[in-house]
Amino acid sequence: MNLTPEIKDKLNQLQEKYTAMGQDMASYLDGLLYADFLTYWDYIHLDTLLSLQNPKTPFPDEEIFIMYHQITELYFKLTLHECKQIAEHEELTASFFTTRVKRINAYFNALTTSFEVMVDGMDKEQFLKFRMSLLPASGFQSGQYRMIEICSTDFIRLVDKSKRAELATAGIEEQFEHIYWKFGATELASGKQTLTLKQFIRKYADQFLQLAKNRVQTNFSSLYLQLQAKGEDVTALAEELRKLDLYVNVEWPLSHYKSAVRYLEKDPVDVAATGGTNWQKYLPPRFQKRIFYPFLWTEEQMEDWGKGWVLSVLKTLKNKD
């Protein structure tokens, strides 16, 4: 074998690396010699991934339902990966911030544009049957989605809009008691928390509170204002954050609203969601007025938040029926 100067140079670099760590390079070369070549299926654990769909019923479309939600959670994990890079960057710049938010927007674009799978990709009769085996589980219980919200904005923006002014100076624990999504999983008749909500809080409350405290100064809203105050050009960043605001607070919940109308709206009484969530009031952005970056929108834009989208969805679905 002809040892080229390039190969010799790399061997010298490896020798320096392992010597610095007090390791024997020859032993590591033996390991490389005996190791099998890496395969695609082993690298991404494909067999394991494809074994994670376990329907509760014999209805074929339940598997579609499971897989799409698993895909959703993987996109959420990608988003949180970007959130962490932004929040923990030691010398954050507007350029780095903008690039990472663009990635997040790409993930949410993929999610919102693919949600037709949930709207029209399942047989309605099958769905209405297999969903009864899922009680009280609900997509409402996506902890990663709540973490994305916490990373994206000041925590007070996640408080129910009727309580934001009153709790503006309150501590995070008190604000958490009035976080908007708790009102979306409260029984309409009794005003009590649903089992879905109780399970969710029991599992995630401590994580949410700790994350909220960790992100007081490093959520996207706070970081944007810090960069702006330093005099950095945040024009491109502002545009990406507006897109993120619309994706998370308008497009994504309304994709779910569209699906709920398709499967659950029924005269004279709407079908209840699996988690007992009050989806008619919980999902439409025009009711929640959940806006991450109010300083990036005009008063008129915030007043009309989500209205046109909801009306167009309802009109489209009524015409289909």
Side-chain angles (χ1 to χ4, degrees), residues 9-20:
D9 182 55
K10 291 185 184 301
L11 286 171
N12 288 332
Q13 290 181 46
L14 281 172
Q15 182 68 63
E16 291 174 4
K17 174 182 176 179
Y18 289 116
T19 299

Side-chain angles (χ1 to χ4, degrees), residues 136-198:
S138 168
F140 172 93
Q141 295 174 316
S142 173
Q144 289 196 116
Y145 183 70
R146 307 304 173 196
M147 293 175 191
I148 291 168
E149 293 179 318
I150 292 169
C151 291
S152 297
T153 191
D154 293 325
F155 198 71
I156 189 62
R157 302 305 308 172
L158 304 179
V159 170
D160 184 82
K161 63 184 176 64
S162 66
K163 292 285 187 178
R164 284 177 201 156
E166 176 186 340
L167 298 175
T169 59
I172 285 175
E173 285 85 356
E174 186 176 357
Q175 291 177 351
F176 182 69
E177 292 304 310
H178 300 276
I179 199 164
Y180 81 92
W181 44 258
K182 288 187 178 182
F183 296 89
T186 299
E187 294 175 354
L188 292 176
S190 66
K192 295 180 180 179
Q193 292 184 347
T194 62
L195 178 57
T196 298
L197 179 57
K198 290 177 181 177

